[in-house]
Amino acid sequence: MLEILGYIGALFIGLVLGITGGGGSILTVPILVYVLHLNPLIATAYSLFIVGTTSTFGTISNFKKGLVVPKTAIQFAIPSVIGVYLTRKFVVHHLPDVIFYFGAVQLTKATFLMLIFAVVMFLAAYSMLKPPKKIEESEWKTKGPVIIIIQLFFVGILIGLVGAGGGFLIIPALIQLAKLPIKKAIGTSLLIIAFNSLIGFMGDVQNIAIDWTFLLVFTAISITGILIGLRIQQYINERLLRKIFGIFVLAMSILILYEEVFS
């Protein structure tokens, strides 16, 4: 029964990823951990492969519609890809099993990763629920390319830690910095997410044993979801969907915090 729920979740991940260009990937780790009971370290690695492969198929579909800007995607992807790969290769798998002790309480690596993930989910929900803010171009000019590159690098580190695609961080940057319209920002973000996730997963391949049968079946279902999501995208109110999904992600983040802190 739990396995069936997990595969239904895979379809839902793809649907939301196809419709919004980000957000669906934030559900992958909770489904793998709390529904299918995978270790969080394994779950974040699997999530990178699932999200990366699913986003690749979404990118192909969007490219045919002229909704992908490859040059912008590469410019944005390079700093974050480096951050993702280095984090998965040299940081995540080398964290101690117990991060620290505080009296009788100990913080394990698994709990640490899930707590970071819950915070990221909370930020993602906030990003989806807050009213859109018009940012003047002059505000971004003061940052300069070096600051932007550093920010994208740290986005990559965050993606590497939690195994999510980071669309909720990338899409606003594409709109505000690259001046892309929302549809092209969504399409281009999927290409960046694919780069980040699959290259990050390469940092895991040598460190963990992978159940390829399960991973490929779960990914295939998620790909089906994203293809359906891309088709129905034009028929729904995206702003309303993001608000509903934002509330759902917010509730999930609170549940994860409760589960990890009090259970």
Side-chain angles (χ1 to χ4, degrees):
M1 182 62 181
L2 289 178
E3 188 173 347
I4 294 173
L5 289 175
Y7 289 140
I8 292 172
L11 186 68
F12 186 65
I13 289 165
L15 279 170
V16 177
L17 196 57
I19 293 168
T20 68
S25 61
I26 206 78
L27 294 178
T28 311
V29 171
I31 288 170
L32 294 174
V33 172
Y34 296 114
V35 178
L36 298 174
H37 302 296
L38 296 184
N39 178 281
L41 184 64
I42 303 295
T44 55
Y46 281 14
S47 176
L48 288 172
F49 180 85
I50 293 161
V51 171
T53 306
T54 303
S55 298
T56 299
F57 278 81
T59 298
I60 293 169
S61 179
N62 278 325
F63 192 82
K64 294 176 181 177
K65 300 174 185 176
L67 297 177
V68 180
V69 185
K71 182 179 178 181
T72 300
I74 293 170
Q75 289 172 339
F76 274 68
I78 290 173
S80 55
V81 160
I82 293 171
V84 175
Y85 180 80
L86 293 178
T87 302
R88 298 305 301 187
K89 179 71 174 177
F90 299 109
V91 177
V92 172
H93 294 281
H94 298 284
L95 289 171
D97 290 334
V98 178
I99 305 296
F100 71 82
Y101 293 92
F102 186 74
V105 179
Q106 64 179 23
L107 178 65
T108 65
K109 175 163 63 175
T111 300
F112 174 70
L113 291 175
M114 292 310 297
L115 288 175
I116 293 178
F117 194 87
V119 172
V120 172
M121 288 188 77
F122 184 87
L123 294 174
Y126 173 76
S127 175
M128 293 174 190
L129 292 173
K130 71 176 182 179
K133 177 186 175 184
K134 186 177 180 180
I135 299 178
E136 298 297 330
E137 189 175 350
S138 59
E139 293 182 47
W140 289 99
K141 283 183 177 179
T142 58
K143 290 193 171 187
V146 175
I147 299 299
I148 293 170
I149 288 171
I150 291 172
Q151 288 179 337
L152 290 171
F153 176 75
F154 279 102
V155 167
I157 292 175
L158 187 62
I159 293 169
L161 284 173
V162 303
F168 71 96
L169 295 169
I170 295 168
I171 290 173
L174 289 171
I175 294 170
Q176 295 159 359
L177 296 177
K179 307 301 179 187
L180 295 184
I182 182 65
K183 294 287 186 181
K184 285 194 174 183
I186 290 173
T188 304
S189 77
L190 287 178
L191 179 54
I192 298 170
I193 289 168
F195 277 137
N196 285 337
S197 301
L198 291 176
I199 293 178
F201 179 73
M202 290 171 60
D204 287 300
V205 171
Q206 296 176 344
N207 292 310
I208 62 173
I210 299 169
D211 183 348
W212 284 106
T213 301
F214 163 77
L215 188 55
L216 291 174
V217 170
F218 195 99
T219 303
I221 295 172
S222 185
I223 289 169
T224 303
I226 198 171
L227 295 177
I228 296 171
L230 288 169
R231 283 189 171 274
I232 66 175
Q233 182 190 63
Q234 56 188 320
Y235 301 113
I236 65 171
N237 185 319
E238 183 185 327
R239 183 173 295 181
L240 176 61
L241 176 70
R242 289 183 72 84
K243 182 173 288 188
I244 294 171
F245 188 68
I247 294 170
F248 177 69
V249 170
L250 178 63
M252 286 284 292
S253 69
I254 294 170
L255 284 173
I256 291 173
L257 283 170
Y258 179 83
E259 176 74 18
E260 296 299 329
V261 173
F262 296 105
S263 65

